[in-house]
Amino acid sequence: MWSLGPIAFGAPWLLLGLIALPILWLLLRAVPPAPTRRRFPGVALLLGLADDESQTDRTPWWLLVLRMLAVAAVILGFAGPVLNPQDDRPGRGPLLVLVDGTWADARDWPRRLDRVEAALRDAASDGRRAALVQLTDLPAEGPVFRDAQAVAQEAAGLVPRPHGPASEAIADWVEALSGDFDTFWLSDGVARDSRADLLAGLEARGIVRVFESPRPIYGLAPPRFEDGTVMLEALRARTVGTAELRVNAIGPDPAGVERRLASETLGFAADEGRATLELSLPPELRNRITRFEVEGVPSAGAVALADDALKRREVALISGGNDREELELLDPLHYLRQALAPSADLVDGTLADVLLANPDVIVLADVATLSALEAEDLEAWVEDGGLLVRFAGPRLAASDVSREALDPLMPVRLRAGGRSIGGAMSWGEPKALAPFDAESPFHGLGIPEDVAVSAQVMAQPDPTLASRVIAQLADGTPLVTRKDAGQGNIVLFHVTANAEWSTLPLSGLFVQMLERLAVSTRPAVPDLEAMEGTNWMPEDVLNAFGVLEDAGALPGVDGSRLANLTPGAEMPPGLYAGEERRIAVNVFNTDSRLQATTWPDRIPVEGLEMARETALKGWLLGGALMLLMLDILAVLALSSRLRGPRAGVAAAVLGLALAGLPTPPQAQEDEAAPPVSEDFAVAATSNVVLAYVETGIPRVDEMSEAGLYGLSNTLFQRTSIEPSMPMGVDPETDELAFFPFLYWPVTADQDLPSRAAYAKLNRYLRTGGMILFDTRDADLARFGSSSPEGQRLQAIARGLDIPPLEPIPQDHVLTRTFYLLQDFPGRHATRDVWVEAAPPDAQAAEGMPFRDLNDGVTPVVIGGNDWAAAWATDETGAPLVPIGRGMAGERQREIAMRFGVNLVMHVLTGNYKSDQVHVPALLDRLGQ
Amino acid sequence: MTERPLTLRGGAEALAAPLPPLLAEAEHLATTVIVGDHGRRRAGLGDTFWQYRPAQYHDERRHIDWRRSAKSDAQFVQDKEWQIAQSVQVWVDQSASMAFTSNEGGVTKADRARVLALATAILLLRGGERVGLTGNLLPPRRGEAQAAQMALLLCEDHPDDFGAPVADGMLHHSRAVFVSDFLGNMDEVERALARAADRDIRGALVQVLDPAEEAFPFDGRTIFESMTGAMRHETLKAGELRERYLDRLAERQARLADLARLSGWQFHTHHTGESATAALLWLYTALERHA
């Protein structure tokens, strides 16, 4: 290249074309623009007029200058000018190309490879021999100098390693160097102790040039879990100025697809090399995270793997029995909560909701029977690998679960009744625990003296019993039994979870037993002595680009090497699995440092400040094009053709040419999914609405609607409840939560609801809704299985979570919520109405004429009196269905209406009328 | 009868094609000016009342207006206004130079001249005058049919470059209208006006010009040609010619004005860019003067 100041020309002989410019000037000048012809009648007046100046047939000078400039720009452009050209590099002798090849190189690896190839090709064109050495993969002998072209072809096979170079290996290699050679060192920019010695050794042999990329190097320290948040530290090598990073947490979603679970930005303050990020994530997300990555940096140092240290067990606690306001210490779950809260995440809720959260452990405290659907779901969950821990209690003892046949959710068969020791009616004293034997998971735990069991349920002696016992009393009675079911276990503690039957929950042994059962989380880092002699197999390893790959057939690692937690050639970073846990080895430890290299001034470092070559060819040719376009416009203007509409067009073209940038495509906005059936929700919730379940049979549905219409009218007239028109609902499709009360007429051939509908109905019942089941055949059959409707009702109710039922007692709150009633007739006048059973120990308080039975609203009322027919009226208010005969029939209709009013009042107010404040008025009314 | 009926009809329709639009336009223009039967403002033969005058010995008794006479002692006779149809003869320049228009699809000078002339004729015919063309083809007659005839004859185009006013066949003591661009030979115009003045014909000269001819907006190297291409003038710098051209144009217009004044005629310059109604009004009032 021939250079003129800061500009060098690639094809300088084209510049000779500039000589031709003056000739061009003379030619252009002699050729005038063509004349325009016009038809003009006024030419009669023009005849005889002569032009005064005669040199106006030449091109004007400025047009000439414009054209000359355009041609000159074209010539200069094609001569290939380059601003700030690169210098050649002279040199002779062999060339050693040294590549660091660590994770810090991985980010710009293709660029480095290009640079290596360029250096090797320059060496080849200069006729020098060359050798290529990677520091993380040092060959045993010293560098072998060969033909540079051959080495350049091998360069493409270089692969970076995820760890740094081993310092002893480097020291040995430096000792083994011999001969004189120049070095071209592609350094990764991370300061290491081994660099100084290596540099000294190489400088003793010849000139050293260094290539470093100016890009910043980021690293991520392993995550820690502290106080409910995940702490992440990020490191950077060059601390100039501020920087912002985006850190992503990656893990599988519930479907197993790997996804970005959380993402946060992290900012480095100026001149700071470390920055901390606190992530507070919900436990489900946190347990699923497998690694943290810095976005946009494909290097192993920017990936931090998360192992079991981040996972906490998720334990769900479910107790049998309804919500009774009991003393806290009697609550079966209290001791469990105290034991588990520090080390595990607790989940409360109903079984259906809890199964959705997919916990690790479910604890059922004194739960005897489960509905068939729930039992099925629970079995499926246990088979999938869940741990079910059950505690006994009065309910389990009173029920007949697992008595004749082994219940799939119980580890052993139980004997009827229980065993009471040390109580008032027993012979002996409370028994202590026997020491745990070797196969039990509790082996090794010390038993405090104050642990005594005074009552428990007994296991049926069985051939399989002995293999399932993992803890027993001093006299050999099984205390804790366990069985495997699929991939999970079922464990039964034969005592209660509170201190009623034993003092076990009061002791520290309880916490240790739960921990041994893997109910709580393991501690974070194992200690060194425990690791000696253990063998850890790599499951997944990180390559230098930060990609997690399967380990394949890599050899295992001894525990003492693993405890070091520094990766090397024999232990690449990744996840190592031991017997019962996994440990992650990352590029950085919690106390690693990341510093940038500092080179002495005598070493030329390439890649940091380099004046870049700019090619001017494009600019010059573009400029020539613009000038030629201006020339077109100028010629048009000269021959005065640029008048009128042409001027407008020319201006528009000029404007477009100058503006002409394509606008970026506008991002599409996500349209939110339109809300579904808003009208239904609005209609249902704007007022109280009584609803009936559609059976599909038009007569029945019409009767239900008319019945609820009559009831709504009555409520409107007599009470402060002002319902809107009744609505029909379909449990499959409609939302049930809008309606306080559902009237369900049972027909003999009704469809059973689907699973989703059952879930909806169960949720409805649990959250305080009431369903009135009406079999409408009380004149034919009593409540039971003797009529088709009754059988249908039983089939439907099998899937629902219905509590124990009893006929309405005389002092149930339904008898006094609005009217004082003792009969609940409809079209039929039987007394067969069933509501939720009262707890067996409910008693009337002093002076109260009724017992305080249920705190909430009875979820179901079941009967067969066909209430809808009794309530049914048409739009004018005339009753639709004849009830009874004569005045007695009308009286029966009136009582049925009153029952309906009572029912709706009960739904909307609960057991308000059981409050003491109503007692005086009630006593007055009752005549006492 | 050598022509087939189809081609005859086609040819006739082609011939008559410009007629309806011209007529329609002229009628439309004419409706912008409301006019009635015009009186001569003197006593004479007519219908409308003019004045009362005392009865003379030669007035017949049945002419005495007894109502007016009863109001006084003398007897009065009603005088009627002299309403006499006068003749107006029109000449429109139909040469090639009139077919010029400076913007594409605009109104040519010929179009404007024809519409103006025909609108005036319609107005005058409605007013009861007799209108015709100069020359021998269409002598002045009354009635609406005359307008159609005039339209037919006006639609023809003549092939020469500039036209000279035709002053043959003009009735004595009538009125005349010459519509042209007057860019041709001025001597012809002078001769025609002289003949008209000999026969005591008064009238109006309307010069129809294109705005480009009035402004001369040309520049650069140009070759000017007349409409048939017979005349050409080449210039290297048209902008330099503008002033001298405009001087010449003004000179010509001044000469026309002088001629008109000397012969008792009116002169007006109309540009095709202006509205035709203004020109029509001027023309109509010009014909009223010196009644």
Side-chain angles (χ1 to χ4, degrees):
Chain A
M1 280 199 236
W2 178 71
S3 65
L4 184 69
I7 306 183
F9 290 94
W13 43 269
L14 266 180
L15 293 175
L16 291 174
L18 288 173
I19 298 174
L21 278 181
I23 306 172
L24 195 64
W25 173 280
L26 291 171
L27 277 176
L28 287 179
R29 225 169 141 63
V31 172
T36 27
R37 305 178 87 89
R38 283 187 197 280
R39 299 213 161 232
F40 189 59
V43 74
L45 297 174
L46 291 174
L47 290 175
L49 291 179
D51 299 321
D52 36 358
E53 293 131 26
S54 57
Q55 76 249 29
T56 53
D57 64 342
R58 295 189 188 274
T59 335
W61 65 269
W62 48 270
L63 189 63
L64 281 182
V65 168
L66 198 67
R67 291 178 176 174
M68 303 289 289
L69 277 181
V71 173
V74 168
I75 293 177
L76 279 178
F78 280 119
V82 166
L83 198 62
N84 296 325
Q86 294 278 37
D87 302 322
D88 307 299
R89 50 201 81 239
R92 47 191 64 88
L95 178 69
L96 171 67
V97 179
L98 195 61
V99 182
D100 267 354
T102 62
W103 51 268
D105 274 339
R107 194 175 177 190
D108 323 310
W109 191 245
R111 212 178 123 206
R112 281 169 194 274
L113 281 186
D114 287 341
R115 190 69 194 83
V116 164
E117 282 177 15
L120 287 171
R121 263 194 225 101
D122 283 342
S125 65
D126 287 342
R128 307 165 72 177
R129 288 178 301 145
L132 182 61
V133 170
Q134 185 178 357
L135 278 183
T136 44
D137 194 14
L138 281 174
E141 66 279 353
V144 177
F145 292 96
R146 293 175 289 142
D147 179 36
Q149 199 70 350
V151 179
Q153 275 153 10
E154 282 176 10
L158 279 181
V159 167
R161 297 301 151 93
H163 49 86
S167 11
E168 309 87 29
I170 289 183
D172 294 337
W173 186 78
V174 168
E175 305 268 313
L177 287 177
S178 64
D180 284 331
F181 48 82
D182 289 337
T183 314
F184 184 57
W185 190 356
L186 286 96
S187 130
D188 60 0
V190 174
R192 289 194 188 88
D193 302 327
S194 51
R195 276 199 201 277
D197 297 331
L198 186 52
L199 184 62
L202 290 172
E203 272 204 299
R205 309 273 158 207
I207 308 173
V208 176
R209 280 177 302 129
V210 172
F211 174 86
E212 250 186 20
S213 159
R215 280 174 98 174
I217 302 172
Y218 293 114
L220 214 53
R224 301 188 308 277
F225 181 77
E226 271 173 34
D227 296 333
T229 54
V230 177
M231 308 277 291
L232 263 186
E233 267 201 341
L235 314 161
R236 65 168 172 169
R238 289 202 182 86
T239 58
V240 177
T242 59
E244 269 218 350
L245 287 184
R246 197 160 186 89
V247 175
N248 295 335
I250 311 233
D253 70 356
V257 177
E258 217 175 61
R259 256 180 220 288
R260 188 183 69 175
L261 297 174
S263 176
E264 287 278 330
T265 44
L266 183 65
F268 284 96
D271 302 331
E272 271 294 315
R274 298 179 91 94
T276 323
L277 175 66
E278 273 188 36
L279 276 173
S280 60
L281 299 166
E284 291 84 31
L285 273 187
R286 198 184 56 231
N287 286 350
R288 276 195 270 131
I289 293 178
T290 51
R291 64 182 192 274
F292 292 90
E293 275 183 357
V294 175
E295 194 169 294
V297 179
S299 130
V303 172
L305 297 171
D307 53 11
D308 290 345
L310 276 193
K311 291 195 190 351
R312 275 158 72 85
R313 307 281 285 191
E314 210 173 306
V315 179
L317 302 175
I318 298 176
S319 74
N322 33 17
D323 331 54
R324 291 159 56 180
E325 290 162 15
E326 288 177 332
L327 298 177
E328 203 181 305
L329 289 179
L330 296 181
D331 183 11
L333 298 180
H334 169 73
Y335 295 96
L336 283 167
R337 275 203 199 96
Q338 296 291 95
L340 294 175
S343 57
D345 292 323
L346 295 176
V347 178
D348 277 322
T350 62
L351 192 58
D353 295 336
V354 150
L355 282 173
L356 285 176
N358 200 24
D360 299 305
V361 182
I362 296 185
V363 175
L364 293 178
D366 195 18
V367 171
T369 46
L370 297 164
S371 73
L373 291 174
E374 286 176 346
E376 238 179 75
D377 291 334
L378 201 51
E379 276 172 41
W381 174 80
V382 171
E383 303 267 324
D384 255 344
L387 170 65
L388 180 66
V389 177
R390 301 186 72 153
F391 284 85
R395 264 186 215 95
L396 191 61
S399 75
D400 60 351
V401 170
S402 193
R403 297 298 196 264
E404 275 101 53
L406 182 61
D407 189 277
L409 287 174
M410 292 282 281
V412 291
R413 281 195 318 159
L414 299 174
R415 290 184 83 147
R419 180 189 183 194
S420 175
I421 19 177
M425 301 279 283
S426 69
W427 293 108
E429 291 174 346
K431 294 276 195 283
L433 267 66
F436 303 109
D437 47 338
E439 295 105 28
S440 152
F442 305 130
H443 177 69
L445 288 177
I447 299 175
E449 295 115 18
D450 51 356
V451 175
V453 171
S454 53
Q456 66 167 89
V457 291
M458 305 290 294
Q460 194 83 269
D462 239 345
T464 58
L465 182 59
S467 58
R468 293 187 175 168
V469 173
I470 49 177
Q472 51 200 343
L473 293 183
D475 62 355
T477 322
L479 184 64
V480 183
T481 49
R482 174 173 79 173
K483 98 171 168 188
D484 292 324
Q487 292 182 6
N489 309 345
I490 304 178
V491 175
L492 174 68
F493 279 73
H494 290 231
V495 289
T496 50
N498 57 6
E500 273 178 31
W501 286 3
S502 72
T503 54
L504 177 63
L506 299 174
S507 70
L509 180 60
F510 190 53
V511 183
Q512 288 172 333
M513 285 171 84
L514 288 177
E515 199 182 310
R516 281 296 182 90
L517 280 178
V519 175
S520 49
T521 312
R522 290 193 194 83
V525 182
D527 42 359
L528 200 51
E529 305 98 41
M531 301 271 283
E532 291 261 338
T534 49
N535 194 31
W536 297 76
M537 297 297 295
E539 265 187 9
D540 299 311
V541 290
L542 273 181
N543 68 0
F545 296 100
V547 179
L548 206 55
E549 294 165 343
D550 190 42
L554 284 177
V557 162
D558 189 48
S560 46
R561 174 76 180 89
L562 191 71
N564 208 358
L565 284 181
T566 324
E570 71 284 3
M571 187 175 79
L575 276 172
Y576 288 82
E579 282 162 25
E580 36 178 41
R581 55 177 303 164
R582 303 195 309 177
I583 291 188
V585 174
N586 285 308
V587 171
F588 290 103
N589 292 338
T590 35
D591 47 0
S592 316
R593 317 215 121 268
L594 184 60
Q595 273 175 344
T597 51
T598 45
W599 298 98
D601 286 334
R602 61 181 182 276
I603 313 269
V605 179
E606 206 185 291
L608 287 181
E609 307 114 15
M610 201 176 65
R612 320 201 68 216
E613 270 187 14
T614 25
L616 296 175
K617 174 173 177 178
W619 292 101
L620 282 173
L621 287 181
L625 201 62
M626 286 298 300
L627 287 175
L628 285 175
M629 283 182 61
L630 281 177
D631 176 62
I632 296 175
L633 289 174
V635 164
L636 280 179
L638 272 184
S639 33
S640 80
R641 272 189 250 234
L642 211 59
R643 299 292 158 92
R646 277 206 192 119
V649 168
V653 164
L654 204 65
L656 275 179
L658 288 177
L661 282 172
T663 56
Q666 287 191 333
Q668 302 242 337
E669 290 182 0
D670 287 275
E671 286 190 0
V676 176
S677 71
E678 240 185 45
D679 307 320
F680 179 79
V682 166
T685 51
S686 48
N687 262 327
V688 174
V689 171
L690 304 178
Y692 60 94
V693 172
E694 285 167 349
T695 56
I697 301 173
R699 272 197 70 82
V700 176
D701 287 342
E702 279 165 20
M703 190 59 74
S704 313
E705 180 166 6
L708 290 182
Y709 174 75
L711 182 59
S712 304
N713 258 343
T714 312
L715 285 168
F716 207 107
Q717 287 159 9
R718 303 188 194 183
T719 70
S720 62
I721 303 175
E722 294 175 350
S724 297
M725 295 293 289
M727 288 170 78
V729 296
D730 184 8
E732 312 275 342
T733 53
D734 295 324
E735 176 63 53
L736 297 175
F738 301 141
F739 308 104
F741 166 65
L742 275 189
Y743 175 74
W744 193 324
V746 180
T747 53
D749 44 6
Q750 233 174 14
D751 294 326
L752 290 179
S754 65
R755 274 187 87 91
Y758 267 126
K760 266 197 216 170
L761 285 165
N762 278 331
R763 198 180 321 130
Y764 177 69
L765 289 177
R766 240 175 255 132
T767 50
M770 164 149 83
I771 304 185
L772 174 63
F773 284 104
D774 192 358
T775 54
R776 298 172 303 123
D777 59 354
D779 54 344
L780 302 173
R782 311 293 290 194
F783 178 66
S785 54
S786 51
S787 72
E789 281 91 2
Q791 284 174 340
R792 203 73 193 153
L793 177 58
Q794 285 199 339
I796 293 173
R798 209 165 281 139
L800 291 177
D801 189 14
I802 296 184
L805 301 174
E806 64 174 5
I808 294 193
Q810 258 193 353
D811 52 358
H812 194 270
V813 72
L814 260 181
T815 56
R816 56 180 184 274
T817 49
F818 196 79
Y819 293 101
L820 293 176
L821 292 178
Q822 285 300 325
D823 285 331
F824 316 105
R827 188 159 58 95
H828 315 295
T830 62
R831 301 195 58 139
D832 237 351
V833 182
W834 293 68
V835 293
E836 184 186 7
D841 53 352
Q843 281 171 7
E846 282 282 333
M848 299 260 274
F850 46 79
R851 295 172 295 166
D852 195 357
L853 289 180
N854 306 67
D855 203 23
V857 172
T858 164
V860 288
V861 176
I862 301 184
N865 281 343
D866 199 2
W867 287 288
W871 298 335
T873 62
D874 59 3
E875 295 90 46
T876 58
L880 282 180
V881 177
I883 305 286
R885 274 193 294 270
M887 282 307 294
E890 292 309 307
R891 182 84 190 142
Q892 186 179 329
R893 192 197 299 278
E894 174 57 31
I895 303 288
M897 275 298 187
R898 290 186 183 187
F899 169 63
V901 170
N902 266 19
L903 199 60
V904 178
M905 273 297 190
H906 175 56
V907 170
L908 294 179
T909 60
N911 64 344
Y912 167 62
K913 281 296 169 66
S914 292
D915 198 45
Q916 252 191 345
V917 87
H918 298 286
V919 169
L922 199 59
L923 288 177
D924 259 344
R925 276 301 213 78
L926 290 175
Q928 290 164 2
Chain B
M1 288 298 280
T2 52
E3 285 186 31
R4 309 217 125 225
L6 263 172
T7 50
L8 181 62
R9 169 138 184 176
E13 287 205 351
L15 201 61
L19 213 53
L22 178 60
L23 259 181
E25 208 182 328
E27 296 251 341
H28 183 71
L29 191 54
T31 54
T32 64
V33 180
I34 303 172
V35 76
D37 247 331
H38 75 274
R40 312 300 294 154
R41 297 179 191 273
R42 53 193 289 186
L45 208 59
D47 299 325
T48 52
F49 170 78
W50 180 240
Q51 65 185 355
Y52 288 113
R53 65 169 168 84
Q56 304 287 324
Y57 62 94
H58 55 79
D59 288 316
E60 295 179 31
R61 292 252 186 241
R62 56 193 171 97
H63 290 145
I64 294 176
D65 191 335
W66 294 108
R67 174 177 292 234
R68 174 70 182 85
S69 309
K71 289 181 187 168
S72 66
D73 292 333
Q75 273 135 9
F76 292 92
V77 170
Q78 256 193 19
D79 247 350
K80 303 288 187 190
E81 198 180 354
W82 187 30
Q83 285 173 337
I84 192 169
Q86 61 174 5
S87 303
V88 179
Q89 284 167 296
V90 177
W91 173 76
V92 177
D93 188 352
Q94 281 156 299
S95 61
S97 72
M98 294 291 284
F100 172 74
T101 174
S102 62
N103 54 331
E104 303 294 319
V107 176
T108 59
K109 293 188 289 184
D111 287 338
R112 183 55 62 81
R114 284 177 191 142
V115 163
L116 210 52
L118 199 54
T120 316
I122 289 172
L123 284 176
L124 294 167
L125 285 170
R126 286 203 193 132
E129 315 288 348
R130 294 184 289 170
V131 184
L133 292 178
T134 61
N136 301 316
L137 288 174
L138 192 67
R141 281 195 210 100
R142 274 207 188 97
E144 293 292 332
Q146 189 75 342
Q149 292 260 10
M150 190 186 275
L152 192 65
L153 284 170
L154 284 180
C155 278
E156 294 164 7
D157 287 321
H158 296 166
D160 40 334
D161 245 342
F162 299 100
V166 172
D168 311 323
M170 294 209 281
L171 302 172
H172 291 252
H173 314 295
S174 63
R175 324 216 92 216
V177 178
F178 289 172
V179 187
S180 165
D181 57 1
F182 297 114
L183 290 177
N185 200 347
M186 283 302 289
D187 297 330
E188 300 281 327
V189 178
E190 219 177 308
R191 208 172 301 131
L193 277 181
R195 285 181 71 186
D198 285 344
R199 298 179 194 184
D200 188 31
I201 296 174
R202 300 276 162 85
L205 288 176
V206 182
Q207 183 186 32
V208 179
L209 284 183
D210 196 85
E213 288 169 343
E214 186 72 43
F216 201 77
F218 309 111
D219 206 357
R221 197 157 168 244
T222 330
I223 300 178
F224 292 104
E225 290 177 345
S226 73
M227 295 307 283
T228 54
M231 289 190 223
R232 45 195 313 274
H233 178 78
E234 183 165 342
T235 173
L236 294 169
K237 251 193 154 173
E240 303 289 303
L241 293 181
R242 183 177 300 120
E243 288 202 24
R244 290 179 281 165
Y245 166 83
L246 290 178
D247 287 341
R248 283 198 176 180
L249 185 63
E251 194 192 314
R252 180 169 285 229
Q253 283 175 336
R255 191 169 164 198
L256 278 169
D258 278 341
L259 271 176
R261 192 170 38 84
L262 286 173
S263 356
W265 285 50
Q266 309 283 320
F267 173 69
H268 178 64
T269 309
H270 171 72
H271 300 116
T272 50
E274 300 164 4
S275 94
T277 317
L280 179 62
L281 270 176
W282 180 89
L283 190 50
Y284 192 72
T285 36
L287 289 175
E288 289 297 295
R289 288 203 199 130
H290 304 294

